[in-house]
Structure formats: structure tokens, C-alpha cells
Amino acid sequence: AWKLASVARADGKAGMQLALQASNPTPYYVSFGFVEALLDGKSVLMPGGMVAPHATQAFVLPGTKPGTHARASVRFEVINDYGGRSTEEKPLTD
């Protein structure tokens, strides 16, 4: 499941940053080739990553600030155990 979240800045400065939060309820690792936020028609592309079983991972959206977005979705590429790739798009919740 994906949702928008506010997280503390990673650079140690005061304030919050907007992030995509991915939750993995399965007993398997999930690998992403890329993660792309689509916020009110603007695209923010990030490198992929991995989410451990039963864990949550935040993907910080560079150049964004927390706020309300009328249209928000995430597009991501999942890499399976055999190296196969598939792209999906899901709506985001606040």
C-alpha cells in the first residue's frame, strides 16, 4: 500500500519533507526499479529501493513540501525474483 506522508528532513535542517510511504504486508522482500510520484500533474522521479517483509519504507520526494494534492498517484516498477519487471500505477492517500 502507498500513501503520502510528512517526514523529518534527512539533511538535519528544521522542517518536514513530503515522502511516499510504501507498506509491505507480505513475508517477502519487494524490490523497486524506480518510484515516481505524480502530484497535480507534476512528476517526481526517484531511484528504486527495497521494502523488507512486514515493513514500511519512506521514499523522500526531493523538491516538495507537505501539503494537499488534488490529484496524487504513484507509478513504480517492481522487480521479481527472476529479474522480470512490471510497472504499476496506484492512487495515493493522505
Side-chain angles (χ1 to χ4, degrees):
W2 292 88
K3 70 177 189 174
L4 284 172
S6 295
V7 296
R9 291 179 56 116
D11 60 9
K13 295 181 181 177
M16 303 295 280
Q17 289 181 291
L18 189 61
L20 290 173
Q21 192 170 31
S23 299
N24 178 9
T26 73
Y28 307 102
Y29 282 87
V30 177
S31 297
F32 299 102
F34 71 83
V35 177
E36 180 182 19
L38 304 166
L39 306 172
D40 300 324
K42 179 183 174 189
S43 171
V44 181
L45 185 63
M46 294 157 290
M50 184 180 291
V51 182
H54 306 290
T56 300
Q57 175 72 36
F59 293 86
V60 176
L61 301 170
T64 63
K65 294 181 181 180
T68 303
H69 299 278
R71 294 176 297 135
S73 62
V74 61
R75 184 179 302 138
F76 54 95
E77 180 183 62
V78 178
I79 304 170
N80 69 26
D81 291 345
Y82 305 102
R85 296 171 181 255
S86 63
T87 302
E88 298 183 36
E89 187 171 336
K90 305 275 183 182
L92 289 169
T93 60
D94 290 331

